[in-house]
Amino acid sequence: MKQLLISILAIIVTLTGAGLAQAQRLSVAADIANIRSGPDTGNAVIWQVEKYHPLEIVKKQGDWYLFKDFEGDRGWIYKSLLTDTETVIVKGDNCNVRSGPGTDNDIRFTVDNGVPFKVLEKKDVWLHVIHADGDEGWIHRSLVW
């Protein structure tokens, strides 16, 4: 009985560790990337994402990655369209991007849900970010995924 419990515990630890190892976060490197319903160019394009869109990899199949995004949506993307650059995506509406790390800094612009950014720098709970179009500033970490 003791040996059985040890074996079950070892399996649980192995499966938990494997799950953690698979939780890889990548981002879109291409200006626009097609998201497909399956791991092949013969599968339908179900939507498109822009540069810096962050994705959490769920599964790899050859050169294709199944992912979930900040809204929990899933799709397939080809490996060459991805990078390990750190990025975030806005998860609310009317979020302020400021000239510096703090609410005492001027608002440069406001963004809505789904706008992705590359992370340039971190300072406490603030992220210095840049959009693919060149707009940059600081955003509070609580406003992004």
Side-chain angles (χ1 to χ4, degrees):
M1 183 67 166
K2 184 176 177 182
Q3 186 63 29
L4 177 63
L5 289 174
I6 291 172
S7 296
I8 291 171
L9 183 58
I11 290 169
I12 291 170
V13 168
T14 300
L15 291 175
T16 303
L20 291 174
Q22 291 177 348
Q24 180 182 16
R25 190 150 165 185
L26 299 174
S27 61
V28 174
D31 289 337
I32 298 290
N34 289 333
I35 305 306
R36 297 188 179 272
S37 60
D40 186 274
T41 55
N43 288 290
V45 174
I46 51 179
W47 80 89
Q48 294 181 317
V49 293
E50 64 181 297
K51 189 173 189 171
Y52 302 144
H53 195 103
L55 308 170
E56 186 175 292
I57 305 305
V58 174
K59 177 182 173 181
K60 297 177 184 178
Q61 186 172 319
D63 288 336
W64 290 86
Y65 291 2
L66 175 64
F67 69 86
K68 71 177 181 177
D69 70 4
F70 75 111
E71 295 177 312
D73 293 330
R74 291 176 178 241
W76 289 88
I77 190 167
Y78 195 70
K79 174 173 102 171
S80 68
L81 300 173
L82 299 172
T83 180
D84 62 357
T85 300
E86 184 177 4
T87 63
V88 294
I89 194 162
V90 177
K91 61 181 184 179
D93 289 326
N94 299 314
C95 297
N96 296 327
V97 179
R98 298 180 175 272
S99 61
T103 55
D104 55 332
N105 290 285
D106 292 337
I107 297 170
R108 284 204 172 152
F109 55 94
T110 303
V111 292
D112 287 327
N113 187 55
V115 176
F117 291 97
K118 175 182 175 181
V119 176
L120 300 174
E121 176 185 1
K122 298 175 187 178
K123 188 170 185 180
D124 298 320
V125 295
W126 291 89
L127 302 173
H128 185 197
V129 295
I130 189 166
H131 188 265
D133 67 8
D135 289 340
E136 58 107 355
W138 291 82
I139 192 165
H140 195 274
R141 185 183 304 267
S142 66
L143 301 175
V144 298
W145 179 80

